[in-house]
Amino acid sequence: MDFVIALLGATLRIFTPILLAALGETLIERAGILNLGIEGTMLLSAFSGFVVAQLSGSLWLGLSAALLTGILLCVFMGLLSVTLGLNQHVAGLGITLLASGLALFSFRILYGGSSTPPSLERSFAQLALFKGTALEPIFSQYGITYIALLLVPILGWLLMHTSFGLRLRSVGENPEAADIAGLNVYWVRYQALIVGGALMGLAGAYLSLAQLGAFTHGMVNGRGWVAIAIVIFGNWQPSKVFYGALLFGFLQALQLRLQAQGIPLPYEALLALPYIITIIILALAGRNASYPAALLKAYRREGA
Amino acid sequence: MPIPFLSIKNLSKRFGSLSANEAISLELYPAEVLALLGENGAGKTTLTKMLYGIYQPDEGELILAGSPVRFRSPADAIRHGIGFVSQHFSLVPSFTVAENVVLGREGSALLNKKVLNDKVRQTAEHFGLALDPTSLIRDLSVGEQQRVEILKSLYRNCQLLILDEPTAVLTPQDVDKLFETLRNLQNQGLSVIIITHKLEEAIAISQRVAVLRLGKLVGVEQTQNTNAKALAKLMVGRDSVPVTRNEQHHQEKTTVLAAKGLTVKDKRGLTTLDNVTLELHAGEVLGIAGVAGNGQTELVDILTGMLKPEKGQVLLAGKTLDLGNTRAFEVAGVGRIPEDRLKGVIADLSVAENLTLEHIPQFSKTGHLNAKAIRQEAENLITTFQIKAKPNDKTRTLSGGNIQKIILARTLSKNPSAVIAAQPTRGLDIGATNFVHEQLLAQKERGAGVLLLSEDLDEVLRLSDRILVIYGGKIVGEFMAAEAELETLGLLMAGSKDVAA
């Protein structure tokens, strides 16, 4: 029983940044933009949050810096792919390369090549719910985890039951129809990028300001790419994206526990397990995927 | 005379050197249906796009209810009470009817679906449009989707509704329903502009007909004072202009290419090609006249192996061809000059590569390309077909005329027994057009059968020995070119039924 409780607690810790990033990506993709800048955006957000928190001594300032970084990088993505209409794959990968490089370069300048990574004196504390019950170990999480959990229904509601959501979905499905209905397609796409960017920034902040309280250059470690896979798995719906992130978090937590238990399997095999299962599930889920119809398409008005 | 709802004054629009609309002046009154009639490229769509803010006029002005207006965008036009239903619906397939209708006009940040559905339902009922606000667009028929488009405009309180070729995609039953709706709107005081090239429809629904030809307004008639013949004459407008045409009768009757009972249905289940049978003889040019979208594209695609029909067969020199297999068609000797020349070449490959692309096996050995042979062939063809380019030039950099020459060179140099030429001179200048014509006639002299599909009636008359008219996916008439009457052709192309072919 202890094993299961510990496993579930670890699941939530691991799934939080992936869920946040995947939710942000969901919003952006629903508006018609595939943001492959996600991996670099998370890393640079984690970095800027860490630096600001360390220099100012305020975690809240650090958190704001991370959110702002996420937003700015996604607005930059918008500049390239929405305003200039460049290829989204190229723009996104470019942003990931740029943001990752910028994070590592700045880190080197600020902290040199020290062998022990610098850490914060104080990071976000955990917030325990259900105190004194058996559930306490599961729900001893950072505040951001609870925010992420609350965001799932909130974003689902936002997409389906507000005019903001209707407009966002319309520019991702048929921007021409949205334009003819009098909407500013570009502005709606930027709005999606801003909200999505904040979520990616929050995912980065979770890593450096809460979970680790430090910055290392490998700290995002492919979580952005996993988030993109989970968006497809979740068929662009926040509730299903939640299950996808949960499943991945669970598999990751499980393989860590199994490694710790000393299972007679090469640890590399265990490390690969969550990714292998992700690929299998994606191959199955991807067949029924219903992409936003205008995904990857820059919108240009006819005759303009 | 009542005050016009909209006055169009001297409206002009140019695209480069092409004058799409030239000083058009027209008045539109409340509670009237005006039909805008004209051939393809006459400027109907350009005119209406200016009325809807998609294009900006180069000259002229619009006067709406007494005051001058300028529409900078569709949103602008909507605010002024203009509604537009284009041929391509701008609907979100995964949204419900109500979501599509209220998009951009939700009224509040929170969507109360029940309230919105009721509002949309009320508007639909008020104008007599049968629609369920909760159904998804992708589950609706084309006719129903069109109704949603109309409803979108009505929901935005439009006073003038413009419909661009609304019947082109509809079944006859849906056309009846549409006309009923339009009469309904008219009774409620709305103005309607309906673009069409079908004479019977213009007469059936409108009070007045405005006819455009080559970008100019050539006549506005009270519908009750005119008839299909008079309108066709206005539309085609070549009453007095003599047309060069092929006067030779060719006697030979050896069939090279035969199509039997070709039938195609599109994704929506509408029949786009209906039991088409034709025979192409050796040494003749067989012209297919018709307005775009009447099945020509499907016919060409079948005859070049790009499309597999539901029914029918194609025979070349008596032998059945494997339908839908482009390679088989090419090898058997069907030469293809495609409708869209940019799809006939690979723009980023070189001229030499494009010239040899269709015949790669001749220039390769065990998968290895023989660069020297390719270059040799390219140089030969460039000389023979007067292509202004070097073998290594990127095809993208060439003019339309030279790209068309590449396609001609590649296809015709193989001496095909049947040549399928679709819109071979569309968009070309006079020099290039003449070159294409000469080449096609040379093929005929050589003894090949040439099937010419063109929207340009002059071209069809000039080159063909025999002419078939296609309308609604059917062959509706056959003439010897020397004997065909323009007026009859025009009427048939416009789907008129009171002509004995």
Side-chain angles (χ1 to χ4, degrees):
Chain A
M1 192 62 201
D2 282 351
F3 177 81
V4 174
I5 299 249
L7 187 62
L8 292 179
T11 298
L12 288 186
R13 268 186 292 284
I14 293 166
F15 112 123
T16 299
I18 291 169
L19 175 65
L20 285 168
L23 288 174
E25 184 72 22
T26 301
L27 281 183
I28 293 171
E29 290 193 18
R30 284 300 280 261
I33 301 155
L34 176 72
N35 186 5
L36 295 182
I38 183 169
E39 179 85 6
T41 302
M42 288 170 75
L43 187 68
L44 194 61
S45 298
F47 173 75
S48 70
F50 170 78
V51 172
V52 170
Q54 210 209 21
L55 295 180
S56 69
S58 161
L59 286 168
W60 294 106
L61 271 182
L63 181 67
S64 311
L67 294 184
L68 191 65
T69 306
I71 291 169
L72 286 178
L73 283 171
C74 282
V75 167
F76 185 45
M77 178 69 192
L79 178 73
L80 297 178
S81 64
V82 178
T83 307
L84 299 176
L86 303 181
N87 179 303
Q88 293 181 6
H89 288 121
V90 176
L93 289 175
I95 285 177
T96 280
L97 291 174
L98 175 77
S100 308
L102 208 57
L104 303 183
F105 178 68
S106 313
F107 182 77
R108 268 295 177 89
I109 289 189
L110 287 173
Y111 302 100
S114 65
S115 52
T116 48
S119 59
L120 296 173
E121 284 173 24
R122 193 172 56 83
S123 58
F124 280 116
Q126 293 187 345
L127 194 68
L129 302 181
F130 305 107
K131 274 193 184 132
T133 71
L135 293 175
E136 189 182 337
I138 301 179
F139 290 99
S140 293
Q141 301 287 346
Y142 302 102
I144 295 174
T145 302
Y146 301 120
I147 293 173
L149 288 171
L150 285 175
L151 278 172
V152 175
I154 290 174
L155 291 181
W157 172 81
L158 194 72
L159 271 176
M160 302 313 292
H161 296 281
T162 66
S163 61
F164 171 77
L166 185 72
R167 291 169 176 207
L168 189 151
R169 286 184 286 135
S170 75
V171 300
E173 293 286 345
N174 188 345
E176 194 194 359
D179 189 11
I180 287 179
L183 301 184
N184 183 334
V185 174
Y186 289 9
W187 171 228
V188 176
R189 288 189 163 175
Y190 271 104
Q191 285 174 316
L193 282 161
I194 288 169
V195 180
L199 293 177
M200 290 175 186
L202 191 58
Y206 177 86
L207 294 172
S208 65
L209 300 181
Q211 197 175 34
L212 219 61
F215 179 83
T216 64
H217 58 258
M219 74 187 313
V220 174
N221 196 22
R223 285 180 176 88
W225 309 133
V226 170
I228 285 177
I230 283 170
V231 173
I232 299 169
F233 169 83
N235 216 1
W236 294 268
Q237 295 169 26
S239 56
K240 290 188 185 166
V241 164
F242 164 78
Y243 291 118
L246 197 64
L247 179 69
F248 184 84
F250 175 77
L251 291 171
Q252 192 69 274
L254 182 68
Q255 70 90 3
L256 286 172
R257 296 287 131 169
L258 290 180
Q259 275 191 54
Q261 301 268 320
I263 295 284
L265 266 174
Y267 76 94
E268 291 93 341
L270 288 172
L271 271 178
L273 178 76
Y275 298 95
I276 291 168
I277 293 182
T278 303
I279 289 171
I280 292 170
I281 290 173
L282 258 187
L284 297 176
R287 285 189 297 191
N288 299 325
S290 54
Y291 291 77
L295 190 66
L296 294 174
K297 290 179 194 146
Y299 179 64
R300 286 291 175 267
R301 191 180 280 174
E302 181 196 1
Chain B
M1 211 61 187
I3 306 158
F5 170 71
L6 177 75
S7 303
I8 300 166
K9 294 207 165 153
N10 284 316
L11 223 54
S12 294
K13 178 76 185 172
R14 280 177 293 272
F15 296 105
S17 60
L18 178 81
S19 191
N21 275 176
E22 227 176 297
I24 289 176
S25 295
L26 188 62
E27 248 120 52
L28 193 69
Y29 297 94
E32 87 162 334
V33 177
L34 175 90
L36 201 54
L37 199 64
E39 289 188 304
N40 295 104
K44 297 168 298 196
T45 302
T46 306
L47 178 62
T48 46
K49 281 187 172 171
M50 286 194 282
L51 300 185
Y52 195 58
I54 297 174
Y55 292 156
Q56 303 299 315
D58 295 327
E59 275 156 41
E61 61 175 346
L62 297 174
I63 312 236
L64 190 75
S67 46
V69 284
R70 214 184 141 77
F71 303 141
R72 284 182 181 77
S73 65
D76 226 12
I78 293 170
R79 270 194 295 278
H80 285 89
I82 314 269
F84 186 69
V85 177
S86 86
Q87 275 167 286
H88 309 284
F89 300 147
S90 39
L91 296 170
V92 183
S94 56
F95 282 17
T96 65
V97 169
E99 284 175 328
N100 268 284
V101 170
V102 304
L103 181 64
R105 279 267 177 134
E106 300 87 355
S108 64
L110 301 188
L111 296 181
N112 185 330
K113 292 200 173 153
K114 200 176 161 302
V115 172
L116 290 176
N117 285 342
D118 285 346
K119 265 171 87 177
V120 170
R121 187 177 289 116
Q122 275 166 21
T123 313
E125 277 168 8
H126 179 71
F127 291 101
L129 292 160
L131 281 170
D132 175 5
T134 58
S135 35
L136 290 177
I137 297 295
R138 64 163 166 256
D139 296 336
L140 299 184
S141 73
V142 178
E144 288 169 317
Q145 293 190 17
Q146 191 175 58
R147 259 174 262 158
V148 179
E149 283 284 7
I150 295 173
L151 184 57
K152 261 166 73 179
S153 294
L154 296 174
Y155 188 80
R156 288 162 172 76
N157 298 315
C158 82
Q159 296 301 307
L160 162 61
L161 187 66
I162 304 168
L163 301 114
D164 188 1
E165 303 265 4
T167 59
V169 291
L170 298 184
T171 61
Q173 292 72 21
D174 278 332
V175 172
D176 291 343
K177 267 192 196 153
L178 171 70
F179 282 5
E180 203 181 301
T181 305
L182 296 185
R183 284 190 197 103
N184 230 325
L185 300 184
Q186 188 197 343
N187 291 338
Q188 308 231 16
L190 271 76
S191 314
V192 176
I193 296 181
I194 174 168
I195 301 183
T196 180
H197 56 253
K198 295 179 186 164
L199 298 167
E200 316 266 294
E201 286 178 5
I203 289 168
I205 187 68
S206 71
Q207 276 76 59
R208 288 191 302 150
V209 184
V211 184
L212 285 178
R213 171 158 40 91
L214 300 173
K216 287 183 195 138
L217 189 67
V218 291
V220 183
E221 306 282 341
Q222 297 288 331
T223 309
Q224 53 189 14
N225 301 338
T226 187
N227 57 43
K229 273 193 178 174
L231 290 174
K233 205 177 263 182
L234 271 175
M235 209 168 123
V236 184
R238 267 162 300 204
D239 199 26
S240 54
V241 187
V243 178
T244 344
R245 59 172 84 186
N246 185 1
E247 301 288 350
Q248 293 171 330
H249 274 265
H250 94 113
Q251 303 299 327
E252 206 185 345
K253 284 278 161 77
T254 324
T255 302
V256 283
L257 183 77
K260 288 184 184 163
L262 300 180
T263 301
V264 176
K265 284 198 170 84
D266 69 5
K267 276 181 285 184
R268 301 184 300 256
L270 293 176
T271 306
T272 47
L273 209 57
D274 191 358
N275 198 19
V276 167
T277 296
L278 58 85
E279 289 193 349
L280 176 64
H281 301 147
E284 77 160 346
V285 176
L286 174 61
I288 307 245
V291 177
N294 277 294
Q296 293 97 320
T297 306
E298 289 80 2
L299 181 61
V300 169
D301 284 354
I302 294 170
L303 294 182
T304 53
M306 308 256 292
L307 178 70
K308 199 171 173 175
E310 322 258 303
K311 271 188 234 139
Q313 56 180 163
V314 178
L315 297 102
L316 191 80
K319 273 205 292 191
T320 313
L321 291 175
D322 181 14
L323 294 167
N325 179 344
T326 48
R327 189 88 211 146
F329 274 68
E330 200 262 325
V331 169
V334 178
R336 182 177 75 104
I337 297 166
E339 188 171 285
D340 182 351
R341 67 183 65 102
L342 285 173
K343 284 186 184 155
V345 295
I346 299 173
D348 282 316
L349 293 188
S350 73
V351 171
E353 284 165 328
N354 270 301
L355 278 170
T356 49
L357 198 61
E358 265 180 10
H359 320 291
I360 278 300
Q362 292 175 28
F363 302 101
S364 66
K365 205 172 160 189
T366 59
H368 183 76
L369 290 179
N370 183 343
K372 210 175 148 193
I374 288 176
R375 199 183 163 85
Q376 190 62 47
E377 169 84 353
E379 275 166 1
N380 286 344
L381 291 176
I382 284 173
T383 320
T384 322
F385 284 84
Q386 303 163 26
I387 304 168
K388 291 192 189 77
K390 294 194 181 64
N392 286 333
D393 286 352
K394 281 255 183 295
T395 307
R396 184 181 291 292
T397 61
L398 271 55
S399 71
N402 279 309
I403 290 179
Q404 190 70 330
K405 284 180 183 175
I406 291 181
I407 292 170
L408 287 175
R410 180 173 74 194
T411 304
L412 303 184
S413 62
K414 297 298 151 200
N415 293 330
S417 46
V419 178
I420 314 293
Q423 319 293 349
T425 61
R426 186 193 273 167
L428 298 185
D429 60 29
I430 295 171
T433 300
N434 287 340
F435 183 83
V436 172
H437 287 171
E438 281 163 26
Q439 292 298 325
L440 292 178
L441 292 174
Q443 291 300 309
K444 166 186 147 172
E445 292 306 319
R446 186 175 60 76
V450 178
L451 188 73
L452 170 72
L453 293 99
S454 176
E455 285 160 36
D456 182 350
L457 197 51
D458 282 347
E459 180 173 71
V460 172
L461 284 167
R462 193 176 305 140
L463 298 183
S464 309
D465 299 278
R466 209 154 48 98
I467 297 174
L468 300 177
V469 181
I470 192 167
Y471 176 81
K474 286 186 185 147
I475 302 291
V476 293
E478 175 173 356
F479 304 90
M480 295 313 289
E483 293 151 13
E485 295 209 3
L486 257 190
E487 202 175 284
T488 318
L489 285 177
L491 284 169
L492 281 172
M493 282 163 67
S496 182
K497 283 162 203 103
D498 56 4
V499 193

